Amino acid sequence: EIFAYRLECAGRSTNDRQEISDIIKSLNDTGYNLNDIFVKCSFLGDQRDIILKAIQVKHPNFEPSVPLPSICYSCSLLQELNKKQEEHVGIKSPAEGVISKEEIQELAKEQLNSEFSFRLKVKSIEKKVESEGNLEANREKLNFMRNAWMNDLKKGFNRDVTLLEKMKTSKSISLLPYMKVLDPQSYIEIMMWEVQRLAEGSETFSPTTSQLYRHLGNQVRNRYVIKYKKENGIVDKTKMLYDKYCEWYLNPAINGSRSCNGRQEWQQLLYDHQNGP
């Protein structure tokens, strides 16, 4: 992976032919070849494309050859399933005639949006009680208070960030980078949701400040991970792969697929779409 990182740096900076030649020579001197980079290394974002472009500065016709993934079972109890794979015995979709391609893609979209929101609405099983007439008034009061709290949180957040910016020095460790990875509204929503979560919890229990900090920090991290995946095209590629998987799931014989189950088809899709994030 060291050589992969060196080639990535060369590809992102100058694409200097001599520098790339020296890196490739060092790679070969250690007993590895260029193809080993694509077989043995893991990539994030556009690393694979950048490294390939850097290599092609020296070897324009180079294309990596990655072996097919092993999709057979190693457990002795499942060898019969391997025989079906060798015989190319297909499967029949359990969703045939039950759901359409458009419906399953819409459900996948709803699931993805639900995961992005980090919240899940569950319909209450409590028996509904007839409203006493003040329900709407209470909701309006709650919304008014929520908006007031969010304004106060926004003012406090901006004040603290401004203070951190003034205190920033080159030698000190600061929270400022962690307060800048997301837009201010995201931090305010996180704090507001935490207030609501605590308010809806038990009246006889309060988490410690350490637990509160950890929970807030995890929420910031989760949002940053989603932001990173969106900006680097990982989310779009996952959607594309899942759309293709849904097509296969509804029609396993599509494009001559020989996968015997969903796991094998997903591995095959990952192999067929190695380029990009």
Side-chain angles (χ1 to χ4, degrees):
E1 291 192 351
I2 293 175
F3 294 105
Y5 291 139
R6 290 178 63 186
L7 285 169
E8 181 191 359
C9 291
R12 292 188 186 278
S13 55
T14 60
N15 266 336
D16 182 81
R17 185 181 180 88
Q18 184 58 47
E19 181 183 1
I20 292 173
S21 297
D22 293 340
I23 297 172
I24 294 175
K25 183 178 183 303
S26 299
L27 173 70
N28 294 330
D29 290 343
T30 57
Y32 295 104
N33 57 57
L34 292 174
N35 203 63
D36 289 336
I37 291 178
F38 298 90
V39 174
K40 299 180 180 180
C41 295
S42 299
F43 304 103
L44 294 174
D46 61 350
Q47 285 181 329
R48 187 181 189 277
D49 294 337
I50 295 297
I51 292 171
L52 181 58
K53 288 179 181 178
I55 292 173
Q56 289 175 342
V57 171
K58 174 66 176 176
H59 302 286
N61 298 323
F62 174 80
E63 288 293 338
S65 176
V66 180
L68 287 168
S70 176
I71 59 177
C72 294
Y73 297 95
S74 58
C75 178
S76 59
L77 299 176
L78 302 177
Q79 294 306 304
E80 191 66 28
L81 297 178
N82 289 337
K83 292 181 181 179
K84 291 184 178 181
Q85 179 67 31
E86 294 172 359
E87 296 168 0
H88 307 309
V89 177
I91 63 171
K92 183 177 180 180
S93 172
E96 184 177 348
V98 178
I99 191 171
S100 67
K101 174 185 174 182
E102 291 73 20
E103 289 174 326
I104 198 171
Q105 288 178 337
E106 184 62 29
L107 290 173
K109 183 179 179 181
E110 289 181 11
Q111 175 64 27
L112 200 60
N113 291 334
S114 175
E115 293 182 15
F116 286 163
S117 68
F118 301 102
R119 305 193 82 184
L120 179 64
K121 288 185 178 180
V122 179
K123 189 175 181 180
S124 175
I125 61 173
E126 184 180 4
K127 184 178 179 180
K128 291 185 178 180
V129 181
E130 292 296 328
S131 173
E132 298 178 355
N134 58 353
L135 180 61
E136 290 300 322
N138 289 336
R139 284 179 175 173
E140 289 181 6
K141 186 181 296 185
L142 177 61
N143 288 332
F144 174 80
M145 295 300 299
R146 183 181 285 114
N147 291 333
W149 293 336
M150 291 190 72
N151 287 331
D152 290 339
L153 287 172
K154 184 176 182 179
K155 292 177 182 177
F157 177 82
N158 291 334
R159 181 190 64 241
D160 290 345
V161 170
T162 302
L163 182 61
L164 286 173
E165 289 175 340
K166 292 179 179 179
M167 296 172 59
K168 182 177 65 175
T169 64
S170 59
K171 296 182 180 180
S172 63
I173 299 176
S174 173
L175 285 174
L176 187 60
Y178 303 97
M179 308 297 282
K180 290 282 192 176
V181 294
L182 302 174
D183 60 279
Q185 186 61 30
S186 295
Y187 292 99
I188 295 165
E189 289 177 359
I190 289 172
M191 290 187 286
M192 192 64 225
W193 288 354
E194 189 65 18
V195 169
Q196 183 172 335
R197 186 182 72 87
L198 293 173
E200 294 173 350
S202 172
E203 295 182 359
T204 59
F205 170 77
S206 295
T208 64
T209 52
S210 296
Q211 291 174 319
L212 180 62
Y213 297 157
R214 187 182 300 111
H215 193 262
L216 290 171
N218 284 335
Q219 291 188 66
V220 173
R221 180 184 181 278
N222 290 338
R223 289 207 179 203
Y224 174 73
V225 169
I226 294 297
K227 177 186 176 184
Y228 173 84
K229 290 183 177 181
K230 285 182 176 180
E231 292 177 347
N232 287 275
I234 298 174
V235 170
D236 291 335
K237 184 171 183 179
T238 302
K239 288 180 181 178
M240 180 270 292
L241 290 174
Y242 198 75
D243 283 344
K244 290 184 177 295
Y245 176 82
C246 289
E247 291 179 10
W248 171 86
Y249 183 74
L250 295 174
N251 182 14
I254 191 172
N255 298 327
S257 174
R258 296 177 177 179
S259 300
C260 292
N261 55 50
R263 188 263 304 170
Q264 292 178 350
E265 180 63 19
W266 187 256
Q267 284 185 273
Q268 186 64 44
L269 285 171
L270 293 178
Y271 176 82
D272 293 339
H273 299 85
Q274 298 177 45
N275 293 334

